[in-house]
Amino acid sequence: ADVWNMGIGGARMEAFLSSTVPDYAYDICTIAYGVNDFNSSMPVAQYLANAKALLGALVDRRPGKPVIAIAPIPFLSDKTVNANGETLDDFRAALAVAAAHLPNVTVIDGRTLVPAESGMFVDGCHPNAAGARAYAAGLLPIMQSCLKR
């Protein structure tokens, strides 16, 4: 299968993303946003609007092709709320709402992919090799299942 990972390190769920979806013939697309949005205090309402627009654009670009939206993995920090008083769980919930009525979009809770253990992270935010292996091992069967639909 031809996989398109739309991830960009340090990126946020910005409004412009929905207007820049390339005409690429992928079989499955994965996106993972939320930690940088939380950490930079993007309002959850803006994140939700941007997520709806991006997911809608991805569905429209390649009708019938699966899109996997990965909600934030664990963030091992003492920061439990951002400057807006919002939590990572608020961002996780917003992504689920954004995808709720879109065909072929599967939302994965990133906490199911990487255990919330310091030995899985370089810095409490970015997975190390063990964390990346756990992420891949958890994501692969989900991707395979989505491709069979």
Side-chain angles (χ1 to χ4, degrees), residues 4 7-8 13 17 21 32-33 36 39 43 47-48 53-54 59 63 66 74 79 90 92 96 98 106 109-110 131:
W4 182 36
I8 300 169
M13 184 75 78
L17 291 172
V21 173
Y33 290 93
N36 293 328
N39 214 24
Y47 175 85
L48 172 61
L54 176 58
V59 167
K79 182 177 183 177
D90 295 329
R92 290 180 181 107
T106 300
D109 185 336

Side-chain angles (χ1 to χ4, degrees), residues 18-63:
S18 65
S19 63
T20 61
V21 173
D23 189 16
Y24 178 69
Y26 56 84
D27 295 313
I28 188 169
C29 176
T30 63
I31 65 167
Y33 290 93
V35 172
N36 293 328
D37 305 279
F38 163 78
N39 214 24
S40 67
S41 296
M42 174 185 283
V44 166
Q46 185 64 52
Y47 175 85
L48 172 61
N50 295 350
K52 282 182 178 179
L54 176 58
L55 291 171
L58 290 168
V59 167
D60 289 346
R61 175 69 68 190
R62 297 281 293 152

Side-chain angles (χ1 to χ4, degrees), residues 111-129:
R111 295 172 294 187
T112 67
L113 300 177
V114 183
E117 301 169 6
S118 61
M120 294 286 174
F121 294 86
V122 174
D123 56 5
C125 180
H126 300 93
N128 60 19

Side-chain angles (χ1 to χ4, degrees), residues 76-92:
L76 307 182
S77 167
D78 57 0
K79 182 177 183 177
T80 57
V81 297
N82 63 18
N84 300 322
E86 297 164 328
T87 68
L88 260 179
D89 282 340
D90 295 329
F91 286 84
R92 290 180 181 107

